[in-house]
Amino acid sequence: MTAPLRDMQDAPEWAQLGVVPGAALRAFGMRRSGNHAIADWIMRNAPAGHSVFLNNCKPGKSPLDSFATIEVDGKKQAARRARAHLPGETARLGDGALLLVSYEDLSPADFGPKRQISGEFDSGLFACDVLIYRSFLNWAASLIKKLQGNPGYGAMRRVAIMLNTADRYARMLELVGQAPGNGMVPICYDRWFVDGAYREDVLGQLGLPVKENAIGDVQSYGGGSSFQKDAAAPEELQTGERWRQMADDADFRAFLGIAAREVDLMAQVEAHFPEDAARLSDVLVTSVSEG
């Protein structure tokens, strides 16, 4: 699945990066979908033991100079310094390192030939695109909880952000349903978190060896867990119970009351998370009867 080094070594992009990757992957995920936990796991299974992670790159620009943060072998580096001269951070790794590039809160479906996701960077250098997604209700509950932590956001703005983001979430699920025919590898965070065999299978699809298949440490990106700020170990996280913890929250219920009426969104939720679709139907019935 990964292009051989000899087929990649002459790409001008690698001169800018400072190494010729043994594998290059591009990942997409909505915020609060376990993006960084999964990215950390991917990097821990780098074939040659070395990795470069360019996090939260700007769409429409080359990831090599538009990343928000950078990790080299799992350790954060100074992003401004790295953007100015990437080889200064990466050259010590030598050729063969794993390159992982990530984009947040967008779907590849939003781009096309006239507007490339990675700008002038040759997308053919990526072995595949990774689609990270999470069950609808747990994702929505976690994101709303995160938004509520911003004192500058009122209830209307929070729900507006959720509705706009949910539209992109639906388009992401549509691509998940087309895989693997579209050349993409989906990773469901809910399954990934609880199923070691699932994680092994995904690594095989990515062309990576199984070197360290544990969930890993709780990630600090985005402030960590929206619900459990003090969680030190992944075993402490109740990632599958977020929707229950927000069941009586006014913002959550307001958002669900509208989301349940969105036909395209509901079709995708039904296809991938039928239990969530059934719960959303109950919300719609309740809101109609109360109206």
Side-chain angles (χ1 to χ4, degrees), residues 61-77:
K61 297 185 177 181
S62 169
L64 300 183
D65 51 30
S66 69
F67 51 88
T69 58
I70 176 176
E71 289 186 16
V72 176
D73 280 351
K75 297 181 179 179
K76 291 183 180 179
Q77 309 298 315

mmCIF file with all atom_site columns, all heavy atoms in Angstrom, residues 61-77:
data_model
loop_
_atom_site.group_PDB
_atom_site.id
_atom_site.type_symbol
_atom_site.label_atom_id
_atom_site.label_alt_id
_atom_site.label_comp_id
_atom_site.label_asym_id
_atom_site.label_entity_id
_atom_site.label_seq_id
_atom_site.pdbx_PDB_ins_code
_atom_site.Cartn_x
_atom_site.Cartn_y
_atom_site.Cartn_z
_atom_site.occupancy
_atom_site.B_iso_or_equiv
_atom_site.pdbx_formal_charge
_atom_site.auth_seq_id
_atom_site.auth_comp_id
_atom_site.auth_asym_id
_atom_site.auth_atom_id
_atom_site.pdbx_PDB_model_num
ATOM 1   N N   . LYS A 1 61 ? -3.401 24.626 1.553  1.00 0.00 ? 61 LYS A N   1
ATOM 2   C CA  . LYS A 1 61 ? -1.983 24.971 1.587  1.00 0.00 ? 61 LYS A CA  1
ATOM 3   C C   . LYS A 1 61 ? -1.150 23.714 1.820  1.00 0.00 ? 61 LYS A C   1
ATOM 4   O O   . LYS A 1 61 ? -1.643 22.715 2.339  1.00 0.00 ? 61 LYS A O   1
ATOM 5   C CB  . LYS A 1 61 ? -1.707 26.000 2.685  1.00 0.00 ? 61 LYS A CB  1
ATOM 6   C CG  . LYS A 1 61 ? -2.404 27.329 2.473  1.00 0.00 ? 61 LYS A CG  1
ATOM 7   C CD  . LYS A 1 61 ? -1.999 28.331 3.534  1.00 0.00 ? 61 LYS A CD  1
ATOM 8   C CE  . LYS A 1 61 ? -2.651 29.688 3.279  1.00 0.00 ? 61 LYS A CE  1
ATOM 9   N NZ  . LYS A 1 61 ? -2.235 30.689 4.305  1.00 0.00 ? 61 LYS A NZ  1
ATOM 10  N N   . SER A 1 62 ? 0.127  23.776 1.461  1.00 0.00 ? 62 SER A N   1
ATOM 11  C CA  . SER A 1 62 ? 1.004  22.640 1.706  1.00 0.00 ? 62 SER A CA  1
ATOM 12  C C   . SER A 1 62 ? 1.110  22.383 3.204  1.00 0.00 ? 62 SER A C   1
ATOM 13  O O   . SER A 1 62 ? 1.321  23.324 3.987  1.00 0.00 ? 62 SER A O   1
ATOM 14  C CB  . SER A 1 62 ? 2.400  22.905 1.139  1.00 0.00 ? 62 SER A CB  1
ATOM 15  O OG  . SER A 1 62 ? 3.314  21.915 1.584  1.00 0.00 ? 62 SER A OG  1
ATOM 16  N N   . PRO A 1 63 ? 0.976  21.135 3.632  1.00 0.00 ? 63 PRO A N   1
ATOM 17  C CA  . PRO A 1 63 ? 1.095  20.844 5.063  1.00 0.00 ? 63 PRO A CA  1
ATOM 18  C C   . PRO A 1 63 ? 2.486  21.124 5.608  1.00 0.00 ? 63 PRO A C   1
ATOM 19  O O   . PRO A 1 63 ? 2.652  21.303 6.820  1.00 0.00 ? 63 PRO A O   1
ATOM 20  C CB  . PRO A 1 63 ? 0.760  19.348 5.137  1.00 0.00 ? 63 PRO A CB  1
ATOM 21  C CG  . PRO A 1 63 ? 1.059  18.817 3.772  1.00 0.00 ? 63 PRO A CG  1
ATOM 22  C CD  . PRO A 1 63 ? 0.709  19.930 2.839  1.00 0.00 ? 63 PRO A CD  1
ATOM 23  N N   . LEU A 1 64 ? 3.492  21.194 4.734  1.00 0.00 ? 64 LEU A N   1
ATOM 24  C CA  . LEU A 1 64 ? 4.860  21.377 5.194  1.00 0.00 ? 64 LEU A CA  1
ATOM 25  C C   . LEU A 1 64 ? 5.130  22.775 5.740  1.00 0.00 ? 64 LEU A C   1
ATOM 26  O O   . LEU A 1 64 ? 6.123  22.975 6.446  1.00 0.00 ? 64 LEU A O   1
ATOM 27  C CB  . LEU A 1 64 ? 5.847  21.057 4.065  1.00 0.00 ? 64 LEU A CB  1
ATOM 28  C CG  . LEU A 1 64 ? 5.787  19.628 3.507  1.00 0.00 ? 64 LEU A CG  1
ATOM 29  C CD1 . LEU A 1 64 ? 6.871  19.428 2.461  1.00 0.00 ? 64 LEU A CD1 1
ATOM 30  C CD2 . LEU A 1 64 ? 5.915  18.592 4.625  1.00 0.00 ? 64 LEU A CD2 1
ATOM 31  N N   . ASP A 1 65 ? 4.250  23.729 5.438  1.00 0.00 ? 65 ASP A N   1
ATOM 32  C CA  . ASP A 1 65 ? 4.451  25.066 6.001  1.00 0.00 ? 65 ASP A CA  1
ATOM 33  C C   . ASP A 1 65 ? 3.170  25.665 6.574  1.00 0.00 ? 65 ASP A C   1
ATOM 34  O O   . ASP A 1 65 ? 3.090  26.881 6.786  1.00 0.00 ? 65 ASP A O   1
ATOM 35  C CB  . ASP A 1 65 ? 5.070  26.014 4.959  1.00 0.00 ? 65 ASP A CB  1
ATOM 36  C CG  . ASP A 1 65 ? 4.325  26.031 3.635  1.00 0.00 ? 65 ASP A CG  1
ATOM 37  O OD1 . ASP A 1 65 ? 3.087  25.812 3.658  1.00 0.00 ? 65 ASP A OD1 1
ATOM 38  O OD2 . ASP A 1 65 ? 4.966  26.241 2.597  1.00 0.00 ? 65 ASP A OD2 1
ATOM 39  N N   . SER A 1 66 ? 2.164  24.827 6.839  1.00 0.00 ? 66 SER A N   1
ATOM 40  C CA  . SER A 1 66 ? 0.907  25.356 7.371  1.00 0.00 ? 66 SER A CA  1
ATOM 41  C C   . SER A 1 66 ? 0.414  24.611 8.608  1.00 0.00 ? 66 SER A C   1
ATOM 42  O O   . SER A 1 66 ? -0.717 24.800 9.032  1.00 0.00 ? 66 SER A O   1
ATOM 43  C CB  . SER A 1 66 ? -0.188 25.299 6.292  1.00 0.00 ? 66 SER A CB  1
ATOM 44  O OG  . SER A 1 66 ? -0.553 23.952 6.008  1.00 0.00 ? 66 SER A OG  1
ATOM 45  N N   . PHE A 1 67 ? 1.250  23.774 9.200  1.00 0.00 ? 67 PHE A N   1
ATOM 46  C CA  . PHE A 1 67 ? 0.837  23.011 10.381 1.00 0.00 ? 67 PHE A CA  1
ATOM 47  C C   . PHE A 1 67 ? 0.774  23.917 11.610 1.00 0.00 ? 67 PHE A C   1
ATOM 48  O O   . PHE A 1 67 ? 1.537  24.876 11.753 1.00 0.00 ? 67 PHE A O   1
ATOM 49  C CB  . PHE A 1 67 ? 1.793  21.842 10.630 1.00 0.00 ? 67 PHE A CB  1
ATOM 50  C CG  . PHE A 1 67 ? 3.247  22.219 10.665 1.00 0.00 ? 67 PHE A CG  1
ATOM 51  C CD1 . PHE A 1 67 ? 3.863  22.626 11.848 1.00 0.00 ? 67 PHE A CD1 1
ATOM 52  C CD2 . PHE A 1 67 ? 4.016  22.166 9.510  1.00 0.00 ? 67 PHE A CD2 1
ATOM 53  C CE1 . PHE A 1 67 ? 5.198  22.970 11.881 1.00 0.00 ? 67 PHE A CE1 1
ATOM 54  C CE2 . PHE A 1 67 ? 5.366  22.506 9.529  1.00 0.00 ? 67 PHE A CE2 1
ATOM 55  C CZ  . PHE A 1 67 ? 5.959  22.919 10.713 1.00 0.00 ? 67 PHE A CZ  1
ATOM 56  N N   . ALA A 1 68 ? -0.171 23.591 12.512 1.00 0.00 ? 68 ALA A N   1
ATOM 57  C CA  . ALA A 1 68 ? -0.303 24.367 13.749 1.00 0.00 ? 68 ALA A CA  1
ATOM 58  C C   . ALA A 1 68 ? 0.723  23.930 14.778 1.00 0.00 ? 68 ALA A C   1
ATOM 59  O O   . ALA A 1 68 ? 1.290  24.756 15.497 1.00 0.00 ? 68 ALA A O   1
ATOM 60  C CB  . ALA A 1 68 ? -1.709 24.219 14.314 1.00 0.00 ? 68 ALA A CB  1
ATOM 61  N N   . THR A 1 69 ? 0.948  22.617 14.880 1.00 0.00 ? 69 THR A N   1
ATOM 62  C CA  . THR A 1 69 ? 1.946  22.072 15.791 1.00 0.00 ? 69 THR A CA  1
ATOM 63  C C   . THR A 1 69 ? 2.655  20.910 15.103 1.00 0.00 ? 69 THR A C   1
ATOM 64  O O   . THR A 1 69 ? 2.155  20.345 14.127 1.00 0.00 ? 69 THR A O   1
ATOM 65  C CB  . THR A 1 69 ? 1.330  21.576 17.114 1.00 0.00 ? 69 THR A CB  1
ATOM 66  O OG1 . THR A 1 69 ? 0.334  20.573 16.828 1.00 0.00 ? 69 THR A OG1 1
ATOM 67  C CG2 . THR A 1 69 ? 0.671  22.710 17.884 1.00 0.00 ? 69 THR A CG2 1
ATOM 68  N N   . ILE A 1 70 ? 3.812  20.551 15.637 1.00 0.00 ? 70 ILE A N   1
ATOM 69  C CA  . ILE A 1 70 ? 4.606  19.471 15.066 1.00 0.00 ? 70 ILE A CA  1
ATOM 70  C C   . ILE A 1 70 ? 5.166  18.598 16.178 1.00 0.00 ? 70 ILE A C   1
ATOM 71  O O   . ILE A 1 70 ? 5.563  19.100 17.236 1.00 0.00 ? 70 ILE A O   1
ATOM 72  C CB  . ILE A 1 70 ? 5.760  20.021 14.190 1.00 0.00 ? 70 ILE A CB  1
ATOM 73  C CG1 . ILE A 1 70 ? 6.656  18.879 13.674 1.00 0.00 ? 70 ILE A CG1 1
ATOM 74  C CG2 . ILE A 1 70 ? 6.573  21.070 14.925 1.00 0.00 ? 70 ILE A CG2 1
ATOM 75  C CD1 . ILE A 1 70 ? 7.747  19.322 12.723 1.00 0.00 ? 70 ILE A CD1 1
ATOM 76  N N   . GLU A 1 71 ? 5.161  17.292 15.933 1.00 0.00 ? 71 GLU A N   1
ATOM 77  C CA  . GLU A 1 71 ? 5.821  16.343 16.822 1.00 0.00 ? 71 GLU A CA  1
ATOM 78  C C   . GLU A 1 71 ? 6.860  15.569 16.015 1.00 0.00 ? 71 GLU A C   1
ATOM 79  O O   . GLU A 1 71 ? 6.587  15.152 14.881 1.00 0.00 ? 71 GLU A O   1
ATOM 80  C CB  . GLU A 1 71 ? 4.826  15.349 17.429 1.00 0.00 ? 71 GLU A CB  1
ATOM 81  C CG  . GLU A 1 71 ? 3.893  15.948 18.461 1.00 0.00 ? 71 GLU A CG  1
ATOM 82  C CD  . GLU A 1 71 ? 3.027  14.887 19.125 1.00 0.00 ? 71 GLU A CD  1
ATOM 83  O OE1 . GLU A 1 71 ? 3.348  13.686 19.009 1.00 0.00 ? 71 GLU A OE1 1
ATOM 84  O OE2 . GLU A 1 71 ? 2.026  15.258 19.753 1.00 0.00 ? 71 GLU A OE2 1
ATOM 85  N N   . VAL A 1 72 ? 8.005  15.367 16.599 1.00 0.00 ? 72 VAL A N   1
ATOM 86  C CA  . VAL A 1 72 ? 9.044  14.522 16.011 1.00 0.00 ? 72 VAL A CA  1
ATOM 87  C C   . VAL A 1 72 ? 9.336  13.413 17.007 1.00 0.00 ? 72 VAL A C   1
ATOM 88  O O   . VAL A 1 72 ? 9.696  13.687 18.159 1.00 0.00 ? 72 VAL A O   1
ATOM 89  C CB  . VAL A 1 72 ? 10.320 15.332 15.708 1.00 0.00 ? 72 VAL A CB  1
ATOM 90  C CG1 . VAL A 1 72 ? 11.424 14.414 15.180 1.00 0.00 ? 72 VAL A CG1 1
ATOM 91  C CG2 . VAL A 1 72 ? 10.024 16.425 14.689 1.00 0.00 ? 72 VAL A CG2 1
ATOM 92  N N   . ASP A 1 73 ? 9.113  12.182 16.569 1.00 0.00 ? 73 ASP A N   1
ATOM 93  C CA  . ASP A 1 73 ? 9.233  11.019 17.459 1.00 0.00 ? 73 ASP A CA  1
ATOM 94  C C   . ASP A 1 73 ? 8.400  11.195 18.724 1.00 0.00 ? 73 ASP A C   1
ATOM 95  O O   . ASP A 1 73 ? 8.826  10.882 19.844 1.00 0.00 ? 73 ASP A O   1
ATOM 96  C CB  . ASP A 1 73 ? 10.694 10.748 17.816 1.00 0.00 ? 73 ASP A CB  1
ATOM 97  C CG  . ASP A 1 73 ? 11.436 10.008 16.715 1.00 0.00 ? 73 ASP A CG  1
ATOM 98  O OD1 . ASP A 1 73 ? 10.775 9.557  15.756 1.00 0.00 ? 73 ASP A OD1 1
ATOM 99  O OD2 . ASP A 1 73 ? 12.666 9.861  16.813 1.00 0.00 ? 73 ASP A OD2 1
ATOM 100 N N   . GLY A 1 74 ? 7.192  11.737 18.548 1.00 0.00 ? 74 GLY A N   1
ATOM 101 C CA  . GLY A 1 74 ? 6.246  11.868 19.651 1.00 0.00 ? 74 GLY A CA  1
ATOM 102 C C   . GLY A 1 74 ? 6.479  13.041 20.575 1.00 0.00 ? 74 GLY A C   1
ATOM 103 O O   . GLY A 1 74 ? 5.741  13.207 21.553 1.00 0.00 ? 74 GLY A O   1
ATOM 104 N N   . LYS A 1 75 ? 7.462  13.884 20.298 1.00 0.00 ? 75 LYS A N   1
ATOM 105 C CA  . LYS A 1 75 ? 7.740  15.034 21.148 1.00 0.00 ? 75 LYS A CA  1
ATOM 106 C C   . LYS A 1 75 ? 7.483  16.332 20.390 1.00 0.00 ? 75 LYS A C   1
ATOM 107 O O   . LYS A 1 75 ? 7.943  16.499 19.264 1.00 0.00 ? 75 LYS A O   1
ATOM 108 C CB  . LYS A 1 75 ? 9.192  14.990 21.638 1.00 0.00 ? 75 LYS A CB  1
ATOM 109 C CG  . LYS A 1 75 ? 9.496  13.782 22.516 1.00 0.00 ? 75 LYS A CG  1
ATOM 110 C CD  . LYS A 1 75 ? 10.935 13.798 23.003 1.00 0.00 ? 75 LYS A CD  1
ATOM 111 C CE  . LYS A 1 75 ? 11.201 12.595 23.899 1.00 0.00 ? 75 LYS A CE  1
ATOM 112 N NZ  . LYS A 1 75 ? 12.620 12.579 24.383 1.00 0.00 ? 75 LYS A NZ  1
ATOM 113 N N   . LYS A 1 76 ? 6.755  17.250 21.029 1.00 0.00 ? 76 LYS A N   1
ATOM 114 C CA  . LYS A 1 76 ? 6.432  18.513 20.391 1.00 0.00 ? 76 LYS A CA  1
ATOM 115 C C   . LYS A 1 76 ? 7.686  19.361 20.195 1.00 0.00 ? 76 LYS A C   1
ATOM 116 O O   . LYS A 1 76 ? 8.565  19.407 21.058 1.00 0.00 ? 76 LYS A O   1
ATOM 117 C CB  . LYS A 1 76 ? 5.405  19.286 21.227 1.00 0.00 ? 76 LYS A CB  1
ATOM 118 C CG  . LYS A 1 76 ? 4.017  18.658 21.238 1.00 0.00 ? 76 LYS A CG  1
ATOM 119 C CD  . LYS A 1 76 ? 3.036  19.509 22.023 1.00 0.00 ? 76 LYS A CD  1
ATOM 120 C CE  . LYS A 1 76 ? 1.650  18.883 22.036 1.00 0.00 ? 76 LYS A CE  1
ATOM 121 N NZ  . LYS A 1 76 ? 0.684  19.686 22.822 1.00 0.00 ? 76 LYS A NZ  1
ATOM 122 N N   . GLN A 1 77 ? 7.731  20.016 19.042 1.00 0.00 ? 77 GLN A N   1
ATOM 123 C CA  . GLN A 1 77 ? 8.822  20.914 18.710 1.00 0.00 ? 77 GLN A CA  1
ATOM 124 C C   . GLN A 1 77 ? 8.271  22.328 18.540 1.00 0.00 ? 77 GLN A C   1
ATOM 125 O O   . GLN A 1 77 ? 7.062  22.531 18.436 1.00 0.00 ? 77 GLN A O   1
ATOM 126 C CB  . GLN A 1 77 ? 9.504  20.458 17.413 1.00 0.00 ? 77 GLN A CB  1
ATOM 127 C CG  . GLN A 1 77 ? 9.913  18.992 17.400 1.00 0.00 ? 77 GLN A CG  1
ATOM 128 C CD  . GLN A 1 77 ? 10.936 18.654 18.464 1.00 0.00 ? 77 GLN A CD  1
ATOM 129 O OE1 . GLN A 1 77 ? 11.906 19.379 18.646 1.00 0.00 ? 77 GLN A OE1 1
ATOM 130 N NE2 . GLN A 1 77 ? 10.728 17.549 19.172 1.00 0.00 ? 77 GLN A NE2 1
#
